[in-house]
Amino acid sequence: MNGCSEKELKPRFSASFYKDGRFESKMDEEKLGFTDTLSIMWELFVKDNEGTTPKTGTVPVHKLTREALLQMPEDTVIRLVHSTLLFRLDGRFVLTDPVFSERISPISFLGPKRFHELPISLDEMPYIDIVIISHNHYDHLDEATIKGLKDRIGHIYTTLGIKSQLVDWGVDASKITELDWWESVEDHGLTITAVSAQHFSARGFFDRNKTLWTSWVIKSAHTNLYFGADSGYFDGFREIGDRYGPFDMTFLEAGAYNERWRSIHMMPEETVQAHLDLKGARLFPIHNGSFKLAMHPWKEPLERVSAEAERKGVELSHPKMGEAVPLLEYKATEMWWE
């Protein structure tokens, strides 16, 4: 039930890394054995690593209402949680990787729990014109959120293999468009393009890499944006920058990294370099501050990416959850994690 068949995918996909019904990933080259995997699971979900989770109330949240969102200025963005971003572009709402659940796990009472309250509840969310889904991981594709939003969504753009999952959850198939890397679509003046990333996908034990992972270029009348979702650092950032840049703002992961899986999650210093490769004007780091997904201290990504951005002369926005920032000009934000 997780993804299309090889017959459906293969004719559309020209890259060499789709073989035998699966996409090949750099993660496969890590070759983590059973013992290594158990060790990682212990460190992540059982061991109490000092500083990996914040004290209650440490992560500040700017509370929102539906009425406030309906008054959201043009060409602005709000981070709601993790990699969930709400844009106001050309009078329309665009939402990325919506995750409103308290835990990102197949089990409601186990798995990484959100560090903070949501700026707004799922029920309070307004009608969303466009939802963009980058890949099939629990912290980017959330069943309860999709089911709660499906009747208030205009259209969903996602990558190869994910449509059938969404249909299983009750989303009207006519509202879903799958895109391969380097494919574009225009939606009422917004141009949405799926571009490459270096990651992997899996929702269960048997669907590893059966669906594609991607990053996105979102171009409106006045803005050109890059939503990176998840990726290790790779040459593709430079290619994307050459083909689609420069970007007014890049949204790149800075969090959930570890040397053992560096190929599929960037180090914070690499996040800044990826931004430079993409020819970005302003950097907005995401994928941090909401869930424990690695063994580093929870605020370390924020400290390291901020220090590297200052060293490289990069304009950095890292607002509080729920705080709106403009896309076309620099707005200084507090170092709230201190």
Side-chain angles (χ1 to χ4, degrees), residues 39-55 115 292 294-298:
S39 174
I40 290 170
M41 298 296 285
W42 168 266
E43 290 185 66
L44 272 175
F45 305 124
V46 180
K47 185 179 178 181
D48 184 16
N49 297 299
E50 186 176 356
T52 55
T53 59
K55 295 178 181 178
F115 297 153
K292 179 187 173 184
M295 288 74 82
H296 56 66
W298 76 271

Side-chain angles (χ1 to χ4, degrees), residues 175-330:
K175 289 185 173 185
I176 308 165
T177 298
E178 291 182 334
L179 296 176
D180 193 358
W181 289 356
W182 317 116
E183 288 185 339
S184 294
V185 65
E186 186 172 314
D187 188 318
H188 295 83
L190 288 174
T191 303
I192 298 166
T193 305
V195 290
S196 60
Q198 185 170 283
H199 200 54
F200 76 112
S201 68
R203 196 164 194 87
F205 293 111
F206 306 109
D207 67 335
R208 187 179 178 96
N209 296 341
K210 285 190 173 182
T211 61
L212 185 60
W213 46 93
T214 190
S215 60
W216 299 87
V217 175
I218 307 166
K219 189 174 179 61
S220 72
H222 304 110
T223 63
N224 192 31
L225 310 170
Y226 176 79
F227 172 60
D230 287 3
S231 181
Y233 180 76
F234 74 132
D235 291 341
F237 291 122
R238 192 172 297 109
E239 180 182 7
I240 294 164
D242 289 342
R243 292 177 66 166
Y244 297 101
F247 294 101
D248 298 302
M249 189 171 279
T250 67
F251 299 84
L252 290 162
E253 66 155 54
Y257 51 82
N258 187 282
E259 285 290 344
R260 282 177 282 186
W261 55 80
R262 187 170 185 164
S263 63
I264 50 93
H265 281 298
M266 290 184 283
M267 297 295 177
E269 294 76 20
E270 292 175 321
T271 299
V272 176
Q273 185 57 53
H275 168 80
L276 294 171
D277 292 349
L278 288 160
K279 304 176 183 177
R282 286 158 292 279
L283 169 61
F284 190 134
I286 57 175
H287 207 264
N288 56 56
S290 293
F291 300 102
K292 179 187 173 184
L293 295 173
M295 288 74 82
H296 56 66
W298 76 271
K299 63 180 181 177
E300 181 185 283
L302 312 172
E303 295 170 335
R304 286 176 59 175
V305 76
S306 297
E308 184 68 5
E310 184 176 5
R311 192 173 76 83
K312 293 284 183 69
V314 169
E315 291 185 342
L316 184 76
S317 286
H318 211 311
K320 301 171 186 175
M321 303 294 174
E323 178 184 357
V325 294
L327 296 165
L328 294 173
E329 60 186 73
Y330 175 65

Side-chain angles (χ1 to χ4, degrees), residues 5-16 18-20:
S5 68
E6 182 175 359
K7 183 178 180 182
E8 291 172 300
L9 285 175
K10 188 101 177 187
R12 293 186 60 201
F13 200 82
S14 59
S16 61
Y18 184 74
K19 296 177 181 178
D20 301 323

